[in-house]
Amino acid sequence: MKSTRFWVILIAGLLVISGVFTALVAGQTSGTMANIYLDGKCIRSIDLSQSDDSYEFTVDSPTGSNTIQVEPGRICVSCAECPDQICVRQGWISASVMPIVCLPNRLVIQIEEQSKQSELDGVAG
Amino acid sequence: MNRIHTKKLVFMALLTAIALTIFVLEAQIPPLAPIPGIKLGLANIVTIYAVFVLGAGPAAMILLSRIILGSLFSGGMTIFYSLTGGFCCYLIMLVMRKLVTGKQIWVCSVLGAVAHNIGQIIAAVFITQTPGVAAYLPVLLVSGILTGLFTGLCAQFLLQRIGGHTF
């Protein structure tokens, strides 16, 4: 049996390391491209620095739909058909490293440097 | 023949019902933070109790029943995250059970919570096919360590008060 001191130090160490990494991912990215992924496939890319009007659109997934709202420089999920509504409560993001995630509908909105949408699928978006 | 005695089966069913009740009640609390995966995890108090008092097999059955029934009650679309997280947590707690004293049960719970978060994120990366989701791991770990400490202390006090009852 290890002493309680051993476990306290181990857990405090884990807490500090995760705290440091949390601070890192809480930072800002220099990218302005909002890539919208459904099931791992980038279905639409929006350059937030280029968009100068506000609009919204709906992404349908087998489990429900998400309404995504775009304003100059920022993006959010305004409405979602899921039980927890966490993606809606995440609110607007503009340059956050942490993506907006809707786990039930497998939708991810991530701000990146480049568009991840493949050219061939471009028209379908 | 390796059979489960009726008394033990009833006790396991009772623990499942308690865990499910806690789970459903906790699901009524609005999310603590707008971050997917952060929650108190109060139902884990029952899992810890089962791992320490009833052992590996019964604890696994109680956990599995609670996750399946719980996802039926709460919408069910996040069952894979709960299953992966729950069983990572369960395995770590089984290992830790041999390494801690009665006054260190909270350690078991904290490391279980860490395993839960890692399992959950791995499931999320696989299911959404989007590696960027892993950016949530550090903040989940911070919250998991704190909530795991809380539920672990609850379980530890529970075991100290009513622990010795075994079948």
PDB file of all heavy atoms in Angstrom, chain B residues 63-83:
ATOM      1  N   LEU B  63     -23.262  -1.764 -13.321  1.00  0.00           N
ATOM      2  CA  LEU B  63     -22.847  -0.639 -14.164  1.00  0.00           C
ATOM      3  C   LEU B  63     -23.496  -0.726 -15.542  1.00  0.00           C
ATOM      4  O   LEU B  63     -24.075   0.246 -16.044  1.00  0.00           O
ATOM      5  CB  LEU B  63     -21.317  -0.628 -14.288  1.00  0.00           C
ATOM      6  CG  LEU B  63     -20.708   0.451 -15.176  1.00  0.00           C
ATOM      7  CD1 LEU B  63     -21.015   1.839 -14.629  1.00  0.00           C
ATOM      8  CD2 LEU B  63     -19.194   0.275 -15.287  1.00  0.00           C
ATOM      9  N   LEU B  64     -23.434  -1.923 -16.138  1.00  0.00           N
ATOM     10  CA  LEU B  64     -23.982  -2.110 -17.481  1.00  0.00           C
ATOM     11  C   LEU B  64     -25.493  -1.865 -17.496  1.00  0.00           C
ATOM     12  O   LEU B  64     -26.016  -1.149 -18.363  1.00  0.00           O
ATOM     13  CB  LEU B  64     -23.665  -3.530 -17.966  1.00  0.00           C
ATOM     14  CG  LEU B  64     -23.925  -3.822 -19.442  1.00  0.00           C
ATOM     15  CD1 LEU B  64     -23.046  -2.927 -20.313  1.00  0.00           C
ATOM     16  CD2 LEU B  64     -23.627  -5.284 -19.759  1.00  0.00           C
ATOM     17  N   SER B  65     -26.195  -2.420 -16.501  1.00  0.00           N
ATOM     18  CA  SER B  65     -27.650  -2.213 -16.433  1.00  0.00           C
ATOM     19  C   SER B  65     -27.973  -0.740 -16.289  1.00  0.00           C
ATOM     20  O   SER B  65     -28.882  -0.220 -16.936  1.00  0.00           O
ATOM     21  CB  SER B  65     -28.262  -2.962 -15.245  1.00  0.00           C
ATOM     22  OG  SER B  65     -27.727  -4.242 -15.152  1.00  0.00           O
ATOM     23  N   ARG B  66     -27.216  -0.070 -15.421  1.00  0.00           N
ATOM     24  CA  ARG B  66     -27.488   1.351 -15.180  1.00  0.00           C
ATOM     25  C   ARG B  66     -27.258   2.173 -16.452  1.00  0.00           C
ATOM     26  O   ARG B  66     -28.049   3.054 -16.778  1.00  0.00           O
ATOM     27  CB  ARG B  66     -26.599   1.866 -14.033  1.00  0.00           C
ATOM     28  CG  ARG B  66     -26.998   3.214 -13.496  1.00  0.00           C
ATOM     29  CD  ARG B  66     -26.206   4.335 -14.092  1.00  0.00           C
ATOM     30  NE  ARG B  66     -24.815   4.304 -13.650  1.00  0.00           N
ATOM     31  CZ  ARG B  66     -23.856   4.989 -14.250  1.00  0.00           C
ATOM     32  NH1 ARG B  66     -24.128   5.713 -15.307  1.00  0.00           N
ATOM     33  NH2 ARG B  66     -22.623   4.915 -13.821  1.00  0.00           N
ATOM     34  N   ILE B  67     -26.172   1.892 -17.183  1.00  0.00           N
ATOM     35  CA  ILE B  67     -25.871   2.684 -18.381  1.00  0.00           C
ATOM     36  C   ILE B  67     -26.941   2.457 -19.457  1.00  0.00           C
ATOM     37  O   ILE B  67     -27.450   3.407 -20.053  1.00  0.00           O
ATOM     38  CB  ILE B  67     -24.468   2.350 -18.929  1.00  0.00           C
ATOM     39  CG1 ILE B  67     -23.398   2.845 -17.943  1.00  0.00           C
ATOM     40  CG2 ILE B  67     -24.251   3.006 -20.288  1.00  0.00           C
ATOM     41  CD1 ILE B  67     -21.985   2.476 -18.326  1.00  0.00           C
ATOM     42  N   ILE B  68     -27.313   1.189 -19.667  1.00  0.00           N
ATOM     43  CA  ILE B  68     -28.308   0.902 -20.709  1.00  0.00           C
ATOM     44  C   ILE B  68     -29.667   1.504 -20.336  1.00  0.00           C
ATOM     45  O   ILE B  68     -30.276   2.231 -21.123  1.00  0.00           O
ATOM     46  CB  ILE B  68     -28.421  -0.624 -20.946  1.00  0.00           C
ATOM     47  CG1 ILE B  68     -27.104  -1.132 -21.551  1.00  0.00           C
ATOM     48  CG2 ILE B  68     -29.585  -0.942 -21.881  1.00  0.00           C
ATOM     49  CD1 ILE B  68     -27.016  -2.632 -21.666  1.00  0.00           C
ATOM     50  N   LEU B  69     -30.118   1.239 -19.094  1.00  0.00           N
ATOM     51  CA  LEU B  69     -31.407   1.789 -18.674  1.00  0.00           C
ATOM     52  C   LEU B  69     -31.358   3.319 -18.634  1.00  0.00           C
ATOM     53  O   LEU B  69     -32.290   3.993 -19.061  1.00  0.00           O
ATOM     54  CB  LEU B  69     -31.799   1.234 -17.297  1.00  0.00           C
ATOM     55  CG  LEU B  69     -32.143  -0.258 -17.265  1.00  0.00           C
ATOM     56  CD1 LEU B  69     -32.293  -0.734 -15.838  1.00  0.00           C
ATOM     57  CD2 LEU B  69     -33.425  -0.511 -18.052  1.00  0.00           C
ATOM     58  N   GLY B  70     -30.239   3.855 -18.143  1.00  0.00           N
ATOM     59  CA  GLY B  70     -30.090   5.302 -18.040  1.00  0.00           C
ATOM     60  C   GLY B  70     -30.191   5.976 -19.398  1.00  0.00           C
ATOM     61  O   GLY B  70     -30.827   7.024 -19.540  1.00  0.00           O
ATOM     62  N   SER B  71     -29.597   5.358 -20.413  1.00  0.00           N
ATOM     63  CA  SER B  71     -29.637   5.992 -21.730  1.00  0.00           C
ATOM     64  C   SER B  71     -31.046   5.886 -22.322  1.00  0.00           C
ATOM     65  O   SER B  71     -31.474   6.754 -23.075  1.00  0.00           O
ATOM     66  CB  SER B  71     -28.608   5.357 -22.665  1.00  0.00           C
ATOM     67  OG  SER B  71     -29.102   4.151 -23.154  1.00  0.00           O
ATOM     68  N   LEU B  72     -31.794   4.848 -21.944  1.00  0.00           N
ATOM     69  CA  LEU B  72     -33.194   4.762 -22.395  1.00  0.00           C
ATOM     70  C   LEU B  72     -34.012   5.907 -21.802  1.00  0.00           C
ATOM     71  O   LEU B  72     -34.837   6.504 -22.468  1.00  0.00           O
ATOM     72  CB  LEU B  72     -33.816   3.429 -21.953  1.00  0.00           C
ATOM     73  CG  LEU B  72     -33.415   2.188 -22.737  1.00  0.00           C
ATOM     74  CD1 LEU B  72     -34.093   0.966 -22.144  1.00  0.00           C
ATOM     75  CD2 LEU B  72     -33.811   2.350 -24.198  1.00  0.00           C
ATOM     76  N   PHE B  73     -33.730   6.214 -20.529  1.00  0.00           N
ATOM     77  CA  PHE B  73     -34.490   7.269 -19.863  1.00  0.00           C
ATOM     78  C   PHE B  73     -34.096   8.662 -20.323  1.00  0.00           C
ATOM     79  O   PHE B  73     -34.888   9.585 -20.269  1.00  0.00           O
ATOM     80  CB  PHE B  73     -34.305   7.173 -18.341  1.00  0.00           C
ATOM     81  CG  PHE B  73     -35.115   6.101 -17.704  1.00  0.00           C
ATOM     82  CD1 PHE B  73     -34.531   4.937 -17.261  1.00  0.00           C
ATOM     83  CD2 PHE B  73     -36.490   6.252 -17.560  1.00  0.00           C
ATOM     84  CE1 PHE B  73     -35.285   3.933 -16.677  1.00  0.00           C
ATOM     85  CE2 PHE B  73     -37.247   5.252 -16.981  1.00  0.00           C
ATOM     86  CZ  PHE B  73     -36.651   4.093 -16.532  1.00  0.00           C
ATOM     87  N   SER B  74     -32.849   8.834 -20.758  1.00  0.00           N
ATOM     88  CA  SER B  74     -32.389  10.201 -21.001  1.00  0.00           C
ATOM     89  C   SER B  74     -32.176  10.511 -22.477  1.00  0.00           C
ATOM     90  O   SER B  74     -31.533  11.488 -22.818  1.00  0.00           O
ATOM     91  CB  SER B  74     -31.095  10.466 -20.222  1.00  0.00           C
ATOM     92  OG  SER B  74     -30.075   9.648 -20.735  1.00  0.00           O
ATOM     93  N   GLY B  75     -32.692   9.710 -23.380  1.00  0.00           N
ATOM     94  CA  GLY B  75     -32.578  10.062 -24.789  1.00  0.00           C
ATOM     95  C   GLY B  75     -31.740   9.088 -25.584  1.00  0.00           C
ATOM     96  O   GLY B  75     -32.020   8.833 -26.745  1.00  0.00           O
ATOM     97  N   GLY B  76     -30.700   8.545 -24.962  1.00  0.00           N
ATOM     98  CA  GLY B  76     -30.027   7.400 -25.548  1.00  0.00           C
ATOM     99  C   GLY B  76     -28.985   7.631 -26.622  1.00  0.00           C
ATOM    100  O   GLY B  76     -28.356   6.690 -27.062  1.00  0.00           O
ATOM    101  N   MET B  77     -28.783   8.889 -27.039  1.00  0.00           N
ATOM    102  CA  MET B  77     -27.849   9.055 -28.148  1.00  0.00           C
ATOM    103  C   MET B  77     -26.401   9.112 -27.692  1.00  0.00           C
ATOM    104  O   MET B  77     -25.487   9.077 -28.500  1.00  0.00           O
ATOM    105  CB  MET B  77     -28.215  10.297 -28.943  1.00  0.00           C
ATOM    106  CG  MET B  77     -29.436  10.036 -29.811  1.00  0.00           C
ATOM    107  SD  MET B  77     -29.933  11.470 -30.732  1.00  0.00           S
ATOM    108  CE  MET B  77     -30.664  12.477 -29.479  1.00  0.00           C
ATOM    109  N   THR B  78     -26.185   9.216 -26.400  1.00  0.00           N
ATOM    110  CA  THR B  78     -24.805   9.314 -25.930  1.00  0.00           C
ATOM    111  C   THR B  78     -24.365   8.037 -25.223  1.00  0.00           C
ATOM    112  O   THR B  78     -23.387   8.032 -24.489  1.00  0.00           O
ATOM    113  CB  THR B  78     -24.630  10.528 -24.993  1.00  0.00           C
ATOM    114  OG1 THR B  78     -25.682  10.512 -24.048  1.00  0.00           O
ATOM    115  CG2 THR B  78     -24.658  11.829 -25.753  1.00  0.00           C
ATOM    116  N   ILE B  79     -25.060   6.939 -25.478  1.00  0.00           N
ATOM    117  CA  ILE B  79     -24.758   5.692 -24.759  1.00  0.00           C
ATOM    118  C   ILE B  79     -23.330   5.200 -25.003  1.00  0.00           C
ATOM    119  O   ILE B  79     -22.677   4.693 -24.104  1.00  0.00           O
ATOM    120  CB  ILE B  79     -25.780   4.582 -25.089  1.00  0.00           C
ATOM    121  CG1 ILE B  79     -25.463   3.323 -24.268  1.00  0.00           C
ATOM    122  CG2 ILE B  79     -25.825   4.260 -26.566  1.00  0.00           C
ATOM    123  CD1 ILE B  79     -26.529   2.267 -24.290  1.00  0.00           C
ATOM    124  N   PHE B  80     -22.781   5.415 -26.220  1.00  0.00           N
ATOM    125  CA  PHE B  80     -21.447   4.891 -26.502  1.00  0.00           C
ATOM    126  C   PHE B  80     -20.377   5.619 -25.711  1.00  0.00           C
ATOM    127  O   PHE B  80     -19.390   5.020 -25.293  1.00  0.00           O
ATOM    128  CB  PHE B  80     -21.152   4.953 -28.001  1.00  0.00           C
ATOM    129  CG  PHE B  80     -22.100   4.089 -28.777  1.00  0.00           C
ATOM    130  CD1 PHE B  80     -23.086   4.643 -29.564  1.00  0.00           C
ATOM    131  CD2 PHE B  80     -22.027   2.701 -28.681  1.00  0.00           C
ATOM    132  CE1 PHE B  80     -23.985   3.841 -30.254  1.00  0.00           C
ATOM    133  CE2 PHE B  80     -22.922   1.893 -29.359  1.00  0.00           C
ATOM    134  CZ  PHE B  80     -23.905   2.466 -30.149  1.00  0.00           C
ATOM    135  N   TYR B  81     -20.597   6.917 -25.477  1.00  0.00           N
ATOM    136  CA  TYR B  81     -19.635   7.671 -24.662  1.00  0.00           C
ATOM    137  C   TYR B  81     -19.697   7.169 -23.224  1.00  0.00           C
ATOM    138  O   TYR B  81     -18.671   6.986 -22.575  1.00  0.00           O
ATOM    139  CB  TYR B  81     -19.941   9.168 -24.716  1.00  0.00           C
ATOM    140  CG  TYR B  81     -20.127   9.693 -26.115  1.00  0.00           C
ATOM    141  CD1 TYR B  81     -21.390   9.948 -26.617  1.00  0.00           C
ATOM    142  CD2 TYR B  81     -19.023   9.894 -26.942  1.00  0.00           C
ATOM    143  CE1 TYR B  81     -21.562  10.401 -27.913  1.00  0.00           C
ATOM    144  CE2 TYR B  81     -19.191  10.348 -28.236  1.00  0.00           C
ATOM    145  CZ  TYR B  81     -20.468  10.599 -28.716  1.00  0.00           C
ATOM    146  OH  TYR B  81     -20.637  11.037 -29.991  1.00  0.00           O
ATOM    147  N   SER B  82     -20.916   6.943 -22.726  1.00  0.00           N
ATOM    148  CA  SER B  82     -21.069   6.452 -21.349  1.00  0.00           C
ATOM    149  C   SER B  82     -20.480   5.060 -21.194  1.00  0.00           C
ATOM    150  O   SER B  82     -19.827   4.760 -20.192  1.00  0.00           O
ATOM    151  CB  SER B  82     -22.538   6.385 -20.956  1.00  0.00           C
ATOM    152  OG  SER B  82     -23.218   7.501 -21.379  1.00  0.00           O
ATOM    153  N   LEU B  83     -20.716   4.206 -22.181  1.00  0.00           N
ATOM    154  CA  LEU B  83     -20.223   2.828 -22.093  1.00  0.00           C
ATOM    155  C   LEU B  83     -18.698   2.784 -22.072  1.00  0.00           C
ATOM    156  O   LEU B  83     -18.097   2.146 -21.203  1.00  0.00           O
ATOM    157  CB  LEU B  83     -20.718   2.013 -23.289  1.00  0.00           C
ATOM    158  CG  LEU B  83     -22.057   1.296 -23.146  1.00  0.00           C
ATOM    159  CD1 LEU B  83     -22.392   0.574 -24.438  1.00  0.00           C
ATOM    160  CD2 LEU B  83     -22.034   0.306 -21.994  1.00  0.00           C
TER     161      LEU B  83
END
